[in-house]
Amino acid sequence: QTTATNIPQGSVDVLMRQAADEAGLELNMELPGPAQQTVGQSTQASTEQDELSQRLARLRQV
Amino acid sequence: ISYSQEAGSYAIQHRVNKLKQHHRRAFDLISKALKIDEEVGNRDVRTVEMYKKGINELERGILLDFNCGSNKECHQAKKLQHKMKLNLDMAKKRLDYHQLNQNRKSQSVLKHLSLPRNMKAP
């Protein structure tokens, strides 16, 4: 076991907050996580493909 | 997670990124082609080239393998591929339509240049 796994999560959080305060950073800043980002992106891709479908279908009717 | 699992998920992520790249390029090309198509109809030759390139991007995206089980990323990728396939079919039909028009145009130009059948060249 490494030292890192021995330290309880609570004290890690406290330490992080202390360091952040000292550096003047906002810890609760909501950064997009990697998972969220991929979901967002693929739904965007999916909507864009839908848009193409609609436009292509419209031209076919003309 | 184990190293092999991690490597596997990296490989999936890599393919997902590739798929998105092909989607992006296909979307940009085909929307541009559609814009001209919607505005000026078949009078623009650029549309044919853009449809062709866009179709190529769609095809390359669809060829990526996402038979990676119940993974969420794979599931979404497959859904996107399905939509891309539908658009591939429709874009191909639109391309056919334009190419047919181009051929007709060049044929009518040739007809115009050639002499009527019953007339002899001087």
Side-chain angles (χ1 to χ4, degrees):
Chain A
Q1 245 185 350
T2 59
T3 334
T5 55
N6 284 330
I7 296 167
Q9 188 60 42
S11 41
V12 174
D13 288 344
V14 169
L15 210 66
M16 291 270 285
R17 217 163 293 141
Q18 270 176 8
D21 282 344
E22 277 166 23
L25 290 173
E26 182 61 83
L27 256 193
N28 292 331
M29 214 160 51
E30 273 190 56
L31 294 171
Q36 269 184 320
Q37 209 171 24
T38 30
V39 170
Q41 273 176 5
S42 45
T43 27
Q44 193 203 335
S46 176
T47 336
E48 284 171 341
Q49 286 295 329
D50 286 341
E51 187 201 312
L52 287 187
S53 303
Q54 282 165 11
R55 291 169 75 187
L56 282 163
R58 220 175 294 144
L59 276 178
R60 205 159 50 169
Q61 286 167 354
V62 178
Chain B
I1 51 171
S2 71
Y3 281 123
S4 68
Q5 271 178 315
E6 207 172 324
S9 76
Y10 269 123
I12 292 168
Q13 193 54 53
H14 179 66
R15 273 189 304 240
V16 169
N17 290 342
K18 269 185 146 183
L19 177 66
K20 279 180 194 161
Q21 255 176 26
H22 290 306
H23 150 76
R24 170 70 26 225
R25 290 196 210 122
F27 176 75
D28 289 344
L29 287 159
I30 296 175
S31 354
K32 269 188 205 158
L34 280 167
K35 200 165 183 290
I36 303 170
D37 218 349
E38 287 156 351
E39 282 168 7
V40 294
N42 54 21
R43 268 170 287 165
D44 205 307
V45 279
R46 286 175 300 165
T47 44
V48 169
E49 275 318 297
M50 280 193 275
Y51 274 127
K52 274 188 194 167
K53 282 183 190 162
I55 283 169
N56 181 256
E57 292 294 340
L58 285 178
E59 278 172 338
R60 287 170 68 186
I62 289 164
L63 282 176
L64 293 167
D65 180 29
F66 286 103
N67 288 316
C68 31
S70 52
N71 183 299
K72 195 180 168 193
E73 294 255 277
C74 288
H75 181 66
Q76 278 189 330
K78 270 194 254 182
K79 265 166 93 175
L80 183 60
Q81 279 184 320
H82 179 71
K83 290 187 179 183
M84 286 164 85
K85 262 181 222 163
L86 289 176
N87 285 336
L88 175 67
D89 283 343
M90 288 200 280
K92 272 185 176 171
K93 278 179 191 148
R94 195 66 194 163
L95 178 64
D96 284 346
Y97 165 82
H98 280 289
Q99 283 178 325
L100 202 73
N101 272 343
Q102 269 193 343
N103 287 343
R104 270 198 208 134
K105 249 190 249 169
S106 55
Q107 269 172 7
S108 66
V109 167
L110 287 177
K111 253 186 224 161
H112 178 71
L113 290 175
S114 62
L115 290 162
R117 280 180 191 208
N118 56 357
M119 206 188 263
K120 277 174 193 163

